Amino acid sequence: MEATGTDEVEKLKSKFMSAWHNMKYSWVLKTKTYFSRNSAVFLLGKCYHFKSDEPSELSPDGSCLDIVDKVISGNVEEFRKDFISRIWLTYREDFPQIKESALTTDCGWGCTLRTGQMLLAQGLVLHFLGRAWTWPGALNIENSDSESWTSHTVKKLTASFEASLTGERELKVLSNDHKEALKRDCDDSEMRDEVYHRKIISWFGDSPPASFGLHQLIEYGKKSGKTAGDWYGPAVVAHILRKAVEEARDPELQGITIYVAQDCTVYSLDVVDRQCSSMGSEKADMKAVIILVPVRLGGERTNMNYLEFVKGILSLEYCVGVIGGKPKQSYYFAGFQDDSLIYMDPHYCQSFVDVSIKDFPLESFHCPSPKKMSFKNMDPSCTIGFYCRNMQDFERISEEITKMLKSSSKEKYPLFTFVKGHSRDYDFASSPLHEENDLFSEEEKKRLKRFSTEEFVLL
């Protein structure tokens, strides 16, 4: 009886905390975000312009367009579809209990892990789907709350009917064989994309089996002295993501790896070693690699001299985003306009979704509302990510970014560097290898501990 009473208290406490977190965090999605009509918008290497001769909704000063609530001609719709297609990972509640803790939610502490998940998810999207991929259901996501199931169904039936009429007219022009071939190619491509879309999201599910789910990331974090409920800085998250990818057993994930820069230095031969590592089944092949570079953009405050470099990074298609935020709030930065960064916010508490079931709902994994913040408000601690499909990609990327670093650096030393050779050639510890009884080497543990104490706390 006493146990039952305790369970009831815990349930009430959980409901109260859920209500509090929703009140505390959910309002950010309901606020409008305004974008200038006169400046280009960059989203992970894609450029959009919102200029139009059509009437539009303006901000109080008459200069800005609210792209969240109003779609006009130009590239607004394309931008919205691209942004919403990015995978959004947020606080969740009522998921399976985290091992060795009583936690069934990460509200209030897990947001930097979530931003790390979003960066890795974008890397996997580039790897399996490509940068041009967008989710076909992206522009319908905002209608899910405002429209009834019936009206949505009617629209689908109407579209299906119109498509069938179009198909009948095409019969007069195309042969049956030609039409079927085109339809089959289109269907096969869409089906493949849908399979990978769902598979990528399932790898981030909030349950112990998910390769990059919160439960697994926390297990790897324990090796660096972190536990569930602790705050994780962007550099520590970078190393946790690397271990998670190394330990992933799904055959689909054997063709990708992660390299984390040491002391703001990317060692080219260490990257090549990771790209040329065995892919299992006695098959050696070239792996794609996600390069993560933990950096500081200043001392206690972000140095505005780094603004142009960060903008340059986010304008590259092989950039997979930035794990960062502002003091005490972690965000996933994916683009910019003028001197403002565009981000996805993990501080939104949503219910647990069982991604192991067939056709699980996708809507809560895609953000309908882009947000902006001034670069000067950014916390200096962050981790930058790039995706390289092969060695040729890495060579090209290292050259392009090196030029960018030199042109943007107003000081003697750039933010980070690419150097030839292995890290051990410069008297640093070599990239840690897998150890049977311990996921992190002693040298790596020391480095992670240093990151943990030097970084500003990001909620």
Side-chain angles (χ1 to χ4, degrees), residues 101-225:
S101 80
L103 293 170
T104 58
T105 179
D106 63 319
C107 286
W109 59 270
C111 62
T112 312
L113 289 171
R114 297 298 188 181
T115 56
Q117 286 180 320
M118 286 189 264
L119 181 144
L120 176 55
Q122 177 59 20
L124 295 175
V125 167
L126 288 183
H127 185 65
F128 292 106
L129 297 170
R131 182 62 187 90
W133 173 82
T134 55
W135 178 37
L139 296 182
N140 296 327
I141 191 170
E142 289 186 312
N143 298 329
S144 59
D145 293 331
S146 59
E147 292 183 352
S148 67
W149 180 88
T150 304
S151 65
H152 181 64
T153 303
V154 168
K155 284 190 174 183
K156 288 181 69 176
L157 289 173
T158 302
S160 177
F161 178 68
E162 290 175 348
S164 68
L165 292 179
T166 303
E168 289 177 7
R169 287 192 292 269
E170 287 175 351
L171 287 174
K172 299 176 182 178
V173 182
L174 300 174
S175 69
N176 285 333
D177 290 342
H178 190 190
K179 180 189 171 188
E180 286 301 319
L182 290 174
K183 185 176 184 298
R184 187 165 54 251
D185 290 344
C186 181
D187 289 346
D188 288 347
S189 176
E190 289 180 358
M191 186 177 298
R192 174 195 173 278
D193 289 352
E194 175 68 8
V195 167
Y196 275 112
H197 180 199
R198 288 184 174 277
K199 185 172 288 188
I200 291 169
I201 290 175
S202 72
W203 285 327
F204 295 92
D206 292 306
S207 58
S211 297
F212 311 128
L214 198 70
H215 295 70
Q216 287 287 359
L217 298 185
I218 289 169
E219 284 299 307
Y220 298 129
K222 288 178 182 177
K223 304 297 181 179
S224 65

